[in-house]
Structures are given as C-alpha cells and as structure tokens.
Amino acid sequence: MTKSEDCLEFSIKIEFLKFNLNVAERIPLDGVTALVGESGAGKSTLLRVIAGIERTAQGTVRFRGRTWMDSDAGVFVPAHRRAVGIVFQEGRLFSHFSVKGNLDYGFRRNRGRDGPNWDEVCSALDLDPLMNRRVNTLSGGEQQRVALGRALLSAPELLLLDEPLASLDSDSKDEIIPYLRRVISAFRLPAIYISHSREELRTLVDNILTVSNGKIVQRNDGAAEVGQRQLLNGIMGKPMGVGLAMCKIGGSEVMARLENPVAEGTKVALAFLDTDLAVAEEGWPAQLNAGEISAVIDRVEIGGCGHYANLVLETEGGPIRIKVHLRQGGGSELVKGLRVAAVFIRPPHVMG
Amino acid sequence: MSVSATISGLPMLDFGSVAVTLKLAVASTGILMLVATPLAWWLANTNSRFKPLVESITALSIVLPPTVLGFYLLILFNPDSPIGAGWVKLTGDTLAFSFTGILLAAVLHSFPFAVQPIQAAFEKVGKRAMETAASLGAKPLDAFFTVAVPLAKRGFLTGGVLAFSHSVGEFGVILMVGGNIPGYTRVVSIDIYTSVETLDYERAHILSLGTLAFAFAAMMLLFMINRRYRHYDEI
C-alpha cells in the first residue's frame, strides 16, 4: 500500500444553493492526476478547497500526512501556508507588475523551501525574452507561461492547474503544451490538472478522475492507456481467415494476429500490451474476446494510493506483468496464489 | 495663522482663510484615507446583512443638506452635550466654533466621497487577485498592501482628490459648526460669502478665481493620472 506520505487524501462536503460537492479520494503524489467532467461538476470547487481558498467546505484534507483541513477539529491551514501553486484559466497575472515583478512575487515568498531555481524555471519556460514586458502586452500563451513560472517559483509542493489552456486558441495551446510537459517532467512536481481536452490529458496525465454532479464517478489510469509491451511463449496453431491464427499457450487457445505466415507447430513469441489483457476470476462467463489463459497471481503490489495494483501472473507461457485499476477500497481480493483468468481483450501479435 | 500678500495695484489683503482652508483640506483628507480604507475594504468584501445599512449611513451626507448635518453636529458639540462636555474636559477647548470642530465636520461630510471610489476600486480588484497572492505565499496583510492597494490606486486617487476638493468647497456645515472666526474657522468659501455681503467684490473675485483655478487643476490632475493607470484594468 502506498504510504500516506505520498498521498493527498480528502473527504469533502460542500453545499451551495444549487450544487453539492461530496467527494472522498486519495490521490497519488507521484505524477499528474486529471479531474475531468462537464462544467459545473465541481472540479474547480474541489481544487479551491484543496488550495485553501474555498473556506466553506466541511471535512478533511491531508497532504503527505499533514492536516490542511479538518472541520470537525477546527483545523484550517490558510492558503498562504499550504505551499500550493495554482495556475488559473485566466492567468491572473498582477497587472501592476512587469513579468519580472510577477515572477518575483512568488519567488520572494517561498520562505526558503526547496524549489526550482530562477534560472531553471526561466529557461524551461523561455521567460527571459519576456522579462521586462508589461503583462497587458503579452499574448494569452505568454501569460500562461508567466503564470506557470510564477507558480513554480513560489516553490509549491503541489501544483494545481485549473484549465490552464482553456482560454487559449489552438495555436497557443500547441505552443504551451510542450512547455507544460517539460515543466512537469523537469521539476517532478505532483499536479492536479483540470481539463476538458482529452488531447491534453493523453500526453500529460497519469491518473484520471471523472467528476460528475459533485461526485467522483470514475477513476482510471491515463498512463496505462499507453500500455506496456509484454511477451508470452506459445505454439503456432491453425490459421483462420486473413491475418489471424489460433495459438496455443500451454493448454489454452488464443486468437492471435500475424503479419507473415508461420508454420503450424512453430514456437512463437506472442506480443501484446498489458492494456490488451484483463484479469478475471476463474470460471467467469466467457464473452467475446480473443481467448483466455489460466494464470496464478505471483505478486501483488498496490500503488498510486490504492488506484491500481501491479500484478505478476505466472502462466504456462511465462510471467506477465500487468497493472489493473482498482475501485475505491478494492484490491483486497487479489492475493498471491489466487488462480485467475488472463483474458485477451484484443488478440496478441505473433512475432515472426 | 495670517498669510498676507501684495498683488500689484491691490491693497494688502489678508489671506488667512486660504491657510485655514488648506490646513483643513489636508488634515481631513489624511484622516479620511485612514478611516475610509478599512471601511471600503470591509464593504467591498462583506456578505453581511448590515452592509446596506452601513452603506446608507456612509452615503447620507451626499443627499443631506449641509445645514442638517451642521445643525446636529452643533448640538453634539455643544459643551452641554456629553460629547461636547467630554471634549472640553479632555482638552479645555470647545468643539463648536473651533478648528477641530470644523475638521470633524469636514471629515463626516466628505466621508462618502472618499469611501465610495475606494470601495469601487477594491470591488474591481476582486477576490481573485487576493486568492492568487495567497497561493503565492502572501499573508493577508502583505497581499493587501502589495496587491489590493496598488491595484486600487486609481480609487485612492479619485477618493483623495474628491475628499480634498470637497473639503475645500465646504460651506454650510462649517458655517453652522465653526461660525466665521478669522484665522480659525473662516475658510475661503465663507470668506467669499462675507466679502460679497460686505460688497468687497475685489476680494470675492480674487478668492473665487483662485478657487476656480484650483478646482480645475485638481480635476485635470485626476483625469490625467487616471489615464496613466488605465492599463491596470486591461487584465
């Protein structure tokens, strides 16, 4: 289990006239978590509660084991002592300062926390050419770069991005996404990212939480959608139709794709992405799929504050590593020695 | 207290009223800025149900005839009233017919002219800038002085100039509370009135023209500075 030091935990209730937010979740602090959902779903409110600028919420917020809010105990750490950097949709640069003055504002108030240094941030975001400009002369994309730099220089422990690209046209978006990616990977800051755009999310995000009507309705793992390549040993079976063949993995038969014809009975390697595979209980009712093989759980490692489990499965074709998503509080049924079915959602490739 | 000037072709004139007026305007503007700022901040940010009440009281002197305010102040400042008596006990001086008395009256009468522009400017700055400052590690008072006040600069300027100018133009309240004591409570506006009453049109002309020039210069300054800081609003 991930230790609480690496999590942002919250259990928040907030009631407005027309809208209630009621969420409880643990978010891993080792990457970028996206909050998605239609506008008005409560994403921004959640972010504001985490940042400490929304004070009317009930419940608890804990960051790396430190209590930021506990309404029952009367604990509320104000925003300026939470070390949270926020980039808002509209930049919110201070118009009475130059670019340099804006950057300096956060930098002078980081109270000696370890954070990205001035030169690193300015070079990562190409801020030096803008330094003496007045903020009202900046383009939308430039403003967001400055806002991002200003937040980073305040040495936050958590970065909150509230639709930072939403007010930009698509050219400016294309311009700033590489900066965002560079900053996120260079400074290794945990971040929560609100966005509507799947495009942005696919390239930036590790976890996705879907918020709807003030509740978290879905968790899944953005990184896993890219998938990791795995290999299993099998034996070539009968071809069936164009580009498909049955292959044997131990005692099971699996449908596989092949580019070049391979003689029946040949030993082959079957390649697949872990996202092509699902783990099911033994004896589950077979659905439309490419076949399943029997497997035994060899190792379970729950990560991401309970968001996923890394499993090592022993099969007749060799070991498989797979990351599976967990429902909240789930994962306890996954134990070493449990016999499961590894189900191919998509056929693996026969490696020639 | 008396300032004299010789203007070519004119006899020696006593311009003590100009000194009293300037002293009154400077002091009342200073006091107003100190008192109006926290009140304006509170009004701009509160959701209290008392807000309309406080706003109404603050704005009263815009609609009230100066003589009404002056009349009530005169009653309050009377050495027989608790406030007037307390003041006499404390300082040995009366509030009515004194400079302190007209200063208090001017502050009260100019109050809305200082509060309202500053309140409007704070409302325009909004909660967002303060939230942003807090997220960057600024404590509330730090954020107030480094973000809210600079961004509300135009409001302070407008409030300051209006309060100053209004104090310069004060007539009815001062006449009621302060009377017309040369060197103490006789301000320019009353001086002009007295000059006209005594048919000293020359004196009335000089004072009126000077006041006109001052008023015009103050307004020019205000609008020019407003123009200079308009980029504050562009984000």
Side-chain angles (χ1 to χ4, degrees), chain A residues 48 84 95-96 105 109 136, chain B residues 131 135 142 146 232 234:
Chain A
R48 292 169 58 80
V84 166
S95 57
H96 59 301
Y105 196 90
R109 286 168 176 77
N136 63 330
Chain B
E131 288 170 4
S135 81
D142 177 16
T146 54
Y232 279 21
E234 282 167 16

Side-chain angles (χ1 to χ4, degrees), chain A residues 78-118:
Chain A
H80 64 272
R81 287 204 267 118
R82 290 195 187 189
V84 166
I86 317 179
V87 179
F88 297 96
Q89 184 177 331
E90 352 61 83
R92 298 202 190 177
L93 296 180
F94 297 132
S95 57
H96 59 301
F97 291 131
S98 65
V99 168
K100 188 163 191 264
N102 271 276
L103 295 172
D104 204 39
Y105 196 90
F107 193 58
R108 279 190 289 117
R109 286 168 176 77
N110 66 22
R111 278 156 302 160
R113 275 195 304 270
D114 268 347
N117 78 36
W118 182 278

